[in-house]
Amino acid sequence: MTEQLHGLYVRDLRVSFDGFTAVDGVSLDVAPGDIRFLIGPNGAGKTTLVDAVTGLVKATGSVRFGDRELLGRPVHRISRLGVGRTFQTSTVFEELTVLQNLDIAAGARRGWATLLRRRHGVPDEVAEALEVIGLASRADQLAGTLAHGQKQWLEIGMLLVQDARLLLLDEPVAGMSHEERDATGQLLEQVSRDRTVVVIEHDMDFLRRFARTVTVLHAGKVLSEGTVAQVQADPRVQEVYLGHPVDAGTAPTATEA
Amino acid sequence: MTTVARDPVTAADPTPPAAKPAAGPSRHRFRAVAGFAFGAALLFAVAPLLLSDFRLSLLAKYLCVAMVAIGIGLAWGRGGMLALGQGVFFGLGGYAMAMHLKLADAGPGNMPDFMLLYGQLDELPLWWRPFASPWFALPATVLLPMAVAFVLGSLVFRRRVRGAYFAILSQALAAAMVILLIGQQGTTGGTNGLTDIQGFFGYDLDDPVNQRMVYFIIAGTLLALLALTRHLMQSRYGELLVAVRDGEERVRFLGYDPATVKLVAYVVAAGMAGLAGALFVPAVGIISPAMIGIVPSIEFVIGVAIGGRATLLGPVLGAVAVAWARTALSERFPGTWTYLQGLLFVVVVAFLPGGLASLVGLLRRGDGERRPGWLRRSRRTEAEAS
């Protein structure tokens, strides 16, 4: 395991689809070990930004994780550099067990000799992840039978065993109960000790409790950046969210989504 | 490390852990060994005792189809690649073997009979010559199809061609191969194919004893392929293959190249089809374009779909059952088999997407017993089926 933390450095990132510019010259720095929340109205370019960082869409500019340039590499190579992501809809392998899901996530560096043999026992990193995400008692259950929140945790657990050092989470608490949100937030705080975390989220209550820094995107550009309080006090943010500037402290609210 | 999530959603959980008693690996192993012993007894003792020479040679033919089916089960059932052109690989293996046997029949330095008959050639074509040696021809029956599958798969999977497009592409390949064979009548035997094969490495194929020997070779090969496939399905690779089938993009984000994962299953399936084609030739005595084109390619898949594509034994039983029904029914009601086959296919796909193997699963579900490995299949298809 590479234990040192890396930051994410995005410079003048642009993504266009058929003339429509989804991400329009975004530059942002995420410090090593930060929990950065990306917020913004629908269509602001949050998910597209993550897509560009992970190699899913073509982009111009520069994205560095630590000192490695990510742009131009295929998806699976970027992943092997320690960049992991989740999706808005849960994408665990429903017909495999929790244990099999984690074992596959742990195995991208395995050679064919290991792949072609049967799994015996539970690898250490998988056992550890099962404890961290609280699914140890469900290791042999099919992932498709898990509750929604548990699937999201399994996704995060897959990033942990994958040894991702940069976690890009797309709406991890959407559809979760209050207890599940709390548990997820604590999980994020725990994993950020030796990882850098970027979260796309609409839930403002969740953001206030767990974000360390916030970037607000609007129409493909960075609108505002700073701590939760700084961003909330920014009149431009209030304008985007509410249509007109209001007193600091009341916006943004959890109405957008 | 502290545990964060304390499982606050137990009430919403559809499957309490208590409902899943784990069958230990030793129990699985015992079941597998018992299953293979049973299969071996059936193929090596019961069938030869009960069946006439004629029926036994028919069974040998069905078992060759079953070998193709095992490969399709791996590539399609586990890997999600609808291989609708396995006839190509079956044909490559079959023709490689038939070319060698024809040359052996003709004797050293002589040309196969059909070449003399068409009379366009003065000497053996260059590309026929290596097949005179069994050391070239026998490995070629497996390696040639695998090489073609490797080249095709490398081109296709990296460009992310999948689903119906992949199926159509493999069909087109089967059609192209048939056209090529028919067009080159002087060197391939054209529509007739390579016929009237007499000997098999010094043994006269007309002798019933030797036909039995061929049957035993085929039965043994089938069991070996089943063992190999069972191992592949239960290995980490097998789990990864299912993951690629159900979430190719997700696997990519985990750091794997799904194209490589799919390529392996596709190449293995092609090798199995090639081996099947090679053994089909001594069992039947002929290989022709009609046995490897689009229609046979589709029939391979129909057997697999009916039997249960994601299981180990489903494709084998489905392929044998369909081939047997085809013979039995077309003896009695010639002309109706095609319609029956189509009907059966539609009914299974519409009402039992997991194939007949899922029936066993449905029947067993009530008694709480865990299904053996070869019948464990997708929960999703089971839900659709019920």
Side-chain angles (χ1 to χ4, degrees), chain B residues 4 44 49 117 167 175-176 193 219 232 258-259 283 291 297 315 329 337 347 351 377:
Chain B
V4 177
F44 284 99
L49 281 176
L117 187 68
L232 271 183
M291 297 165 178
S297 293
L329 291 173
W337 167 244
V347 167
F351 298 106
R377 9 155 262 110

Side-chain angles (χ1 to χ4, degrees), chain A:
Chain A
M1 276 198 178
T2 45
E3 289 298 342
Q4 76 266 40
L5 282 162
H6 293 303
L8 176 71
Y9 310 102
V10 178
R11 287 288 167 278
D12 196 30
L13 188 75
R14 281 172 208 279
V15 180
S16 301
F17 307 108
D18 298 326
F20 169 71
T21 307
V23 176
D24 190 7
V26 167
S27 298
L28 56 87
D29 289 353
V30 182
D34 199 357
I35 300 182
R36 169 71 54 94
F37 273 56
L38 286 181
I39 62 170
N42 285 331
K46 307 179 295 285
T47 299
T48 310
L49 176 69
V50 169
D51 286 349
V53 170
T54 53
L56 195 59
V57 298
K58 285 203 189 315
T60 59
S62 163
V63 176
R64 283 186 303 117
F65 178 53
D67 50 5
R68 314 254 194 131
E69 177 64 45
L70 301 184
L71 287 193
R73 293 178 197 258
V75 167
H76 67 280
R77 299 273 173 209
I78 292 175
S79 162
R80 288 188 200 178
L81 292 178
V83 178
R85 75 174 289 184
T86 63
F87 295 83
Q88 282 175 23
T89 51
S90 137
T91 52
V92 296
F93 305 116
E94 305 219 327
E95 311 214 345
L96 297 174
T97 65
V98 170
L99 177 58
Q100 286 172 329
N101 268 275
L102 289 169
D103 186 64
I104 285 176
R109 291 176 190 83
R110 284 181 193 133
W112 280 100
T114 313
L115 273 182
L116 290 178
R117 262 183 269 132
R118 209 192 278 210
R119 174 170 44 73
H120 290 289
V122 181
D124 290 344
E125 69 269 31
V126 171
E128 193 177 303
L130 278 172
E131 288 300 325
V132 172
I133 62 174
L135 294 179
S137 64
R138 296 168 191 278
D140 292 321
Q141 196 173 319
L142 287 181
T145 64
L146 292 177
H148 173 74
Q150 294 173 324
K151 283 185 189 168
Q152 291 290 349
W153 295 333
L154 175 57
E155 296 246 25
I156 295 173
M158 288 164 76
L159 298 183
L160 298 183
V161 294
Q162 188 186 341
D163 201 21
R165 296 282 130 184
L166 172 64
L167 271 56
L168 303 156
L169 309 176
D170 201 346
E171 301 193 24
V173 299
M176 279 190 183
S177 69
H178 274 296
E179 292 83 3
E180 289 173 319
R181 280 166 202 235
D182 289 350
T184 307
Q186 287 159 23
L187 181 58
L188 292 186
E189 289 184 334
Q190 187 183 342
V191 303
S192 73
R193 281 177 212 155
D194 47 6
R195 288 170 180 86
T196 306
V197 180
V198 175
V199 183
I200 296 176
E201 194 47 74
H202 287 301
D203 186 304
M204 291 306 152
D205 185 49
F206 185 69
L207 174 138
R208 282 189 205 97
R209 290 191 52 194
F210 295 106
R212 293 197 187 131
T213 56
V214 182
T215 297
V216 185
L217 290 178
H218 177 56
K221 291 186 160 81
V222 174
L223 185 72
S224 179
E225 197 168 277
T227 63
V228 176
Q230 285 167 343
V231 166
Q232 278 187 318
D234 189 330
R236 288 171 303 172
V237 176
Q238 294 162 14
E239 189 169 344
V240 164
Y241 271 87
L242 299 172
H244 56 85
V246 290
D247 295 336
T250 55
T253 58
T255 50
E256 184 259 326

Side-chain angles (χ1 to χ4, degrees), chain B:
Chain B
M1 276 182 150
T2 53
T3 313
V4 177
R6 284 160 314 275
D7 214 359
V9 280
T10 312
D13 193 299
T15 318
K20 290 218 111 200
S26 58
R27 216 170 129 204
H28 274 308
R29 177 145 293 211
F30 172 75
R31 276 215 187 99
V33 170
F36 272 97
F38 179 71
L42 213 61
L43 288 174
F44 284 99
V46 178
L49 281 176
L50 290 185
L51 298 177
S52 68
D53 285 337
F54 172 66
R55 292 286 163 196
L56 197 66
S57 75
L58 277 183
L59 182 59
K61 188 173 142 186
Y62 303 160
L63 294 184
C64 290
V65 177
M67 286 181 211
V68 184
I70 298 175
I72 295 177
L74 185 70
W76 182 34
R78 295 293 173 123
M81 293 164 275
L82 178 47
L84 265 180
Q86 291 304 89
V88 170
F89 307 121
F90 184 80
L92 283 170
Y95 270 87
M97 176 65 97
M99 284 161 73
H100 173 68
L101 297 183
K102 286 303 281 180
L103 288 172
D105 280 353
N110 293 329
M111 285 163 64
D113 47 8
F114 75 93
M115 287 190 190
L116 300 171
L117 187 68
Y118 300 132
Q120 296 157 340
L121 296 166
D122 302 327
E123 58 176 358
L124 200 61
L126 212 58
W127 59 274
W128 267 75
R129 285 181 194 167
F131 289 93
S133 158
W135 300 108
F136 177 84
L138 281 185
T141 60
V142 179
L143 296 180
L144 205 61
M146 289 175 92
V148 171
F150 180 82
V151 172
L152 183 77
S154 306
L155 293 172
V156 163
F157 298 138
R158 299 227 183 279
R159 279 168 185 72
R160 308 190 190 176
V161 176
R162 54 196 146 195
Y165 299 100
F166 174 76
I168 291 167
L169 196 77
S170 31
Q171 280 263 281
L173 194 70
M177 176 143 166
V178 167
I179 292 166
L180 186 75
L181 285 171
I182 293 177
Q184 304 295 316
Q185 189 175 29
T187 52
T188 63
T191 321
N192 296 333
L194 301 177
T195 60
D196 197 26
I197 288 158
Q198 305 284 336
F200 184 61
F201 299 96
Y203 295 92
D204 181 3
L205 284 174
D206 281 341
D207 188 337
V209 176
N210 292 338
Q211 270 299 331
R212 257 170 200 252
M213 175 191 72
V214 169
Y215 165 80
F216 285 126
I217 292 173
I218 289 172
T221 308
L222 180 79
L223 287 176
L225 291 185
L226 275 174
L228 172 74
T229 308
R230 180 177 182 275
H231 177 84
L232 271 183
M233 283 179 171
Q234 300 201 335
S235 70
R236 277 182 152 130
Y237 170 77
E239 294 172 354
L240 183 59
L241 186 63
V242 171
V244 169
R245 177 192 73 190
D246 294 344
E248 191 168 330
E249 285 308 316
R250 186 73 182 92
V251 172
R252 206 186 299 282
F253 280 105
L254 292 175
Y256 296 93
D257 186 357
T260 315
V261 178
K262 290 165 89 170
L263 188 61
V264 169
Y266 187 55
V267 168
V268 168
M272 288 182 183
L275 190 55
L279 292 170
F280 180 85
V281 169
V284 181
I286 175 175
I287 185 89
S288 78
M291 297 165 178
I292 70 174
I294 288 185
V295 173
S297 293
I298 293 176
E299 283 176 350
F300 289 142
V301 169
I302 290 179
V304 175
I306 289 175
R309 62 179 188 251
T311 61
L312 177 62
L313 280 186
V316 172
L317 298 178
V320 171
V322 168
W324 172 80
R326 176 202 174 101
T327 313
L329 291 173
S330 47
E331 274 170 7
R332 259 161 258 170
F333 319 100
T336 54
W337 167 244
T338 321
Y339 298 102
L340 264 173
Q341 179 175 252
L343 189 69
L344 197 58
F345 185 57
V346 170
V347 167
V348 166
V349 167
F351 298 106
L352 206 59
L356 293 178
S358 59
L359 274 183
V360 185
L362 289 178
L363 293 177
R364 281 215 189 186
R365 205 156 45 164
D367 61 17
E369 192 192 335
R370 191 176 165 142
R371 272 167 267 145
W374 57 272
L375 280 171
R376 211 180 309 135
R377 9 155 262 110
S378 58
R379 228 174 28 80
R380 192 185 296 152
T381 44
E382 193 171 271
E384 282 165 10
S386 54

